[in-house]
Amino acid sequence: AYEIAKADYDRFIELATSKNCRKSTIQFAKNADELDSIWEARRGCYLGAMRYRGIQLGTHKKEKVYVGDVCVPISKLADSIANAERLFKRARFPCVMCCHIADGNYHCLIPFNDDNEKELHKLEEELVNAALDVGGVASGEHGVGVGKMKHIVREHGEAHIDIQRSIKKALDPLNIMNPGKVISWTSPSSSSSSL
């Protein structure tokens, strides 16, 4: 397995450097300790995002951090990330991303405060819509929960979600398991609570 991974890594380095990527910014873990060391940087993304603007402004104030993710086809990844950077810049939020590039999933860690929460949600909506526009999904890892429920009908289609809703109602007729999450109890196109 190591030899195959190393061959893939070497090919990746060859392609990346041919596109002017700095080879020194790419790392390959030969063992679990090296992998843990590399992952330590990713684990620090949240704390870095929390302090980003405070450090930048010299106030050292911590902010709340919204963590969202989308996933796009690999062939659309570079354009999708470039577009996300433009969306962040236009919305005047720092662009903090942690990615596992190999599967097209990237996490946006958006520092915000109560004064710009409305703009935060608008940015998140634009990021999800941009991912869906290129054949991606609303969430590659973090899930739908409550905040991304509105996107799953567009992502999967009304008929698909109606089937999932029917299964949910058959297994949970009292709607006591995760009520109000992932799939709404009623269809947006109907006002009744039954299908």
Side-chain angles (χ1 to χ4, degrees):
Y2 171 82
E3 291 79 19
I4 294 169
K6 182 68 168 108
D8 286 347
Y9 171 78
D10 290 341
R11 177 68 179 133
F12 173 79
I13 291 293
E14 181 183 322
L15 291 169
T17 53
S18 75
K19 302 292 183 187
N20 298 319
C21 178
R22 293 179 303 203
K23 188 175 176 181
S24 63
T25 64
I26 303 169
Q27 299 176 13
F28 181 80
K30 296 182 198 85
N31 56 51
D33 289 338
E34 285 185 17
L35 181 61
D36 193 51
S37 176
I38 292 169
W39 270 92
E40 187 60 35
R42 183 176 187 273
R43 288 191 281 270
C45 284
Y46 183 85
L47 295 174
M50 181 190 301
R51 295 179 176 271
Y52 185 88
R53 288 197 288 196
I55 291 170
Q56 196 176 40
L57 298 172
T59 65
H60 299 284
K61 181 181 173 189
K62 295 179 189 175
E63 293 187 292
K64 298 176 187 175
V65 177
Y66 173 84
V67 180
D69 78 318
V70 295
C71 192
V72 297
I74 297 296
S75 62
K76 305 292 184 182
L77 183 61
D79 289 339
S80 183
I81 286 179
N83 183 55
E85 289 173 335
R86 283 189 295 274
L87 292 173
F88 271 85
K89 188 173 185 174
R90 187 177 72 211
R92 293 193 172 105
F93 281 98
C95 184
V96 181
M97 288 188 203
C98 291
C99 313
H100 5 136
I101 295 296
D103 66 2
N105 186 217
Y106 60 95
H107 306 261
C108 298
L109 293 91
I110 308 171
F112 72 99
N113 56 50
D114 294 335
D115 295 337
N116 57 12
E117 194 166 350
K118 183 178 176 184
E119 293 84 1
L120 161 77
H121 292 297
K122 182 177 184 240
L123 173 59
E124 194 260 346
E125 177 99 5
E126 290 175 329
L127 289 165
V128 171
N129 283 329
L132 294 174
D133 287 345
V134 297
V137 295
S139 179
E141 186 178 68
H142 287 228
V144 172
V146 176
K148 293 187 177 182
M149 280 176 51
K150 61 188 169 214
H151 300 292
I152 64 169
V153 171
R154 178 171 172 219
E155 185 177 322
H156 297 287
E158 184 86 31
H160 180 92
I161 299 305
D162 282 343
I163 291 168
Q164 288 187 22
R165 189 177 293 109
S166 295
I167 294 168
K168 161 85 170 151
K169 288 182 177 188
L171 296 174
D172 182 17
L174 299 177
N175 195 23
I176 59 174
M177 296 185 285
N178 266 344
K181 293 184 180 164
V182 183
I183 297 173
S184 64
W185 192 246
T186 59
S187 172
S189 61
S190 73
S191 57
S192 68
S193 62
S194 62
L195 292 172

